[in-house]
């Protein structure tokens, strides 16, 4: 897929990286995707897809018969505002709460919570019609909501188990190597698994299943690197696959789902980069706010696939 980007401006400084450095597990998805800046609350970009292979034997003298209809299409998303606020009274600031200053503690704690909320939005969680929901423009009384990563997965790469009914867990199917191969094959055909950036996000139950059914195919982590129990890498017919545990997949909305891809093909696009400001007040307290205004851009949806109905 070829991508042309519209509506970008120069990059602005952010405190996101500083918060992530406190622990990558705080926001692993933000660490995996790219970033950029935009200047409007609606962002659009142009995509184009490579055609599938076909029979192509031609006469020595042949006419112009190739379909030259343009295949480009526009993708759009809306920016979503995310904020988290803290307040500490003057008395609390003068005291050490369990051996630490309350203001510094609350600023650090709320920063990590803020990035979790940003990832929650990037995954499309909170959308009333599910994680595959389209973007919703805001009004004076309704907050705008961005479309998440699942929305940009092509229809033919949304793997669903036979007989799946989201309201009936008895229709879910065991996660096996066969199910994994069926899920991965469309991505392999598109070339998404050709380097080591390819990752599968999942919850603890499905990761435990993967650890068991693929135990003979696990790639041992080098002793030169710190062991990370949230990541398991295995060998498949299509190449190496890295399973990464993500806390948001532990909830009911994503517990039966997988999301895989080259996550560098997605970017968090900021109208306002994540920032922390102190909020003036006449009260005998100190207030602060984390604020982010961003949307999600998926440069190449062909590099992503999703699955649902697994257990």
């Amino acid at each position: 897929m070829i991508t042309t980007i519209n509506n970008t401006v120069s990059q602005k400084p952010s405190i996101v990286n500083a918060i992530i450095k406190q622990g990558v597990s705080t926001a692993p998805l933000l660490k995996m995707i790219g970033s950029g800046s935009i200047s409007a609350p609606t962002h659009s970009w142009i995509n184009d897809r490579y055609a599938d292979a076909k029979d192509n034997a031609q006469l020595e003298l042949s006419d112009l018969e190739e379909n030259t209809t343009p295949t480009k299409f526009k993708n759009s998303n809306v920016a979503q505002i995310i904020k988290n606020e803290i307040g500490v009274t003057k008395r609390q600031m003068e005291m050490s709460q369990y051996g630490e200053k309350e203001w510094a503690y609350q600023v650090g704690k709320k920063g990590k919570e803020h990035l979790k909320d940003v990832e929650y939005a990037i995954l499309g969680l909170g959308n009333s019609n599910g994680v595959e929901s389209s973007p919703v423009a805001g009004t004076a009384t309704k907050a705008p909501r961005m479309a998440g990563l699942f929305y940009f997965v092509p229809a033919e790469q949304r793997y669903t188990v036979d007989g799946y009914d989201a309201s009936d867990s008895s229709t879910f199917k065991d996660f096996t190597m066969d199910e994994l191969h069926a899920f991965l094959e469309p991505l392999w055909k598109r070339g998404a698994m050709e380097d080591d950036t390819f990752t599968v996000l999942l919850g603890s139950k499905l990761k435990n299943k993967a650890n068991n059914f693929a135990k003979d195919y696990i790639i041992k982590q080098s002793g030169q690197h710190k062991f990370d129990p949230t990541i398991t890498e295995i060998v498949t017919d299509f190449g190496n696959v890295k399973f990464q545990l993500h806390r948001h997949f532990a909830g009911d909305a994503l517990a039966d789902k997988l999301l895989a891809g080259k996550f560098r093909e997605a970017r968090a696009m900021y109208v306002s980069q994540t920032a922390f400001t102190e909020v003036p007040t006449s009260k005998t307290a100190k207030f602060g706010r984390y604020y982010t205004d961003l949307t999600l851009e998926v440069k190449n949806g062909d590099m992503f696939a999703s699955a649902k109905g697994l257990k």
Side-chain angles (χ1 to χ4, degrees):
M1 185 178 286
I2 307 103
T3 308
T4 303
I5 308 300
N6 298 325
N7 188 28
T8 59
V9 296
S10 59
Q11 182 83 352
K12 292 176 281 188
S14 170
I15 63 171
V16 170
N17 287 339
I19 299 174
I20 289 175
K21 286 177 182 176
Q22 298 177 37
V24 68
S25 60
T26 300
L29 187 52
L30 283 172
K31 188 73 173 178
M32 293 162 64
I33 67 176
S35 65
S37 296
I38 55 176
S39 57
T42 299
H43 177 53
S44 64
W45 61 99
I46 302 298
N47 289 131
D48 196 4
R49 300 189 75 179
Y50 291 108
D52 293 330
K54 63 184 182 300
D55 181 34
N56 197 342
Q58 303 292 331
L59 295 170
E60 180 179 351
L61 183 61
S62 58
D63 203 351
L64 179 64
E65 299 174 352
E66 184 77 17
N67 183 358
T68 56
T69 303
T71 56
K72 292 182 179 180
F73 60 96
K74 184 173 79 169
N75 263 322
S76 298
N77 209 349
V78 301
Q80 179 173 330
I81 296 170
I82 299 168
K83 67 183 179 75
N84 297 78
E85 295 165 335
I86 60 174
V88 178
T89 67
K90 181 173 177 58
R91 173 177 286 180
Q92 288 175 321
M93 286 190 293
E94 296 297 330
M95 300 168 57
S96 290
Q97 302 287 323
Y98 302 102
E100 59 187 346
K101 293 294 185 180
E102 187 67 12
W103 177 254
Y105 167 75
Q106 290 294 341
V107 170
K109 174 175 177 286
K110 196 63 66 173
K112 293 181 179 180
E113 291 174 356
H114 185 74
L115 293 194
K116 290 179 184 179
D117 289 353
V118 171
E119 291 202 341
Y120 195 88
I122 288 173
L123 288 168
L125 292 163
N127 294 334
S128 59
N129 294 321
V131 294
E132 296 173 350
S133 298
S134 56
V136 178
T139 67
T141 58
K142 181 174 66 175
R145 286 188 179 275
M146 73 170 87
L149 279 164
F150 286 88
Y151 170 76
F152 294 100
V153 176
E156 63 272 24
Q157 291 170 205
R158 296 180 181 183
Y159 179 75
T160 305
V161 302
D162 294 337
Y164 172 72
D165 180 350
S167 63
D168 183 2
S169 60
S170 68
T171 65
F172 295 3
K173 196 170 182 180
D174 284 333
F175 187 29
T176 65
M177 185 66 89
D178 288 341
E179 294 293 332
L180 177 64
H181 279 174
F183 167 62
L184 293 176
E185 188 167 12
L187 281 171
W188 171 72
K189 288 180 178 178
R190 292 287 183 186
M193 300 177 63
E194 293 177 353
D195 61 45
D196 59 4
T197 65
F198 180 80
T199 304
V200 180
L201 297 181
L202 72 177
S204 58
K205 290 182 180 179
L206 293 183
K207 186 173 182 295
N208 185 53
K209 282 287 187 72
N211 289 347
N212 287 327
F213 72 65
K215 60 180 179 294
D216 294 331
Y217 304 93
I218 292 177
I219 300 173
K220 302 298 183 183
Q221 296 189 30
S222 169
Q224 297 176 350
H225 300 91
K226 183 179 178 181
F227 175 71
D228 186 348
T230 68
I231 295 174
T232 300
E233 189 170 2
I234 69 168
V235 177
T236 72
D237 290 348
F238 307 115
N240 293 357
V241 174
K242 181 169 64 177
F243 293 109
Q244 179 151 347
L245 190 64
H246 194 289
R247 57 171 50 86
H248 289 330
F249 282 74
D252 291 342
L254 297 180
D256 67 311
K257 297 176 178 62
L258 305 173
L259 180 64
K262 294 175 66 173
F263 285 87
R264 273 303 185 192
E265 295 294 331
R267 296 199 294 173
M269 304 298 290
Y270 295 91
V271 178
S272 297
Q273 284 272 4
T274 301
F276 178 77
T277 56
E278 293 185 15
V279 181
T281 178
S282 60
K283 297 182 182 295
T284 56
K286 190 175 183 179
F287 292 90
R289 175 185 296 129
Y290 282 97
Y291 181 96
T292 302
D293 189 353
L294 84 164
T295 191
L296 174 70
E297 171 192 284
V298 177
K299 296 182 288 182
N300 190 347
D302 285 346
M303 299 292 105
F304 291 88
S306 61
K308 57 186 175 183
L310 297 169
K311 65 178 182 178

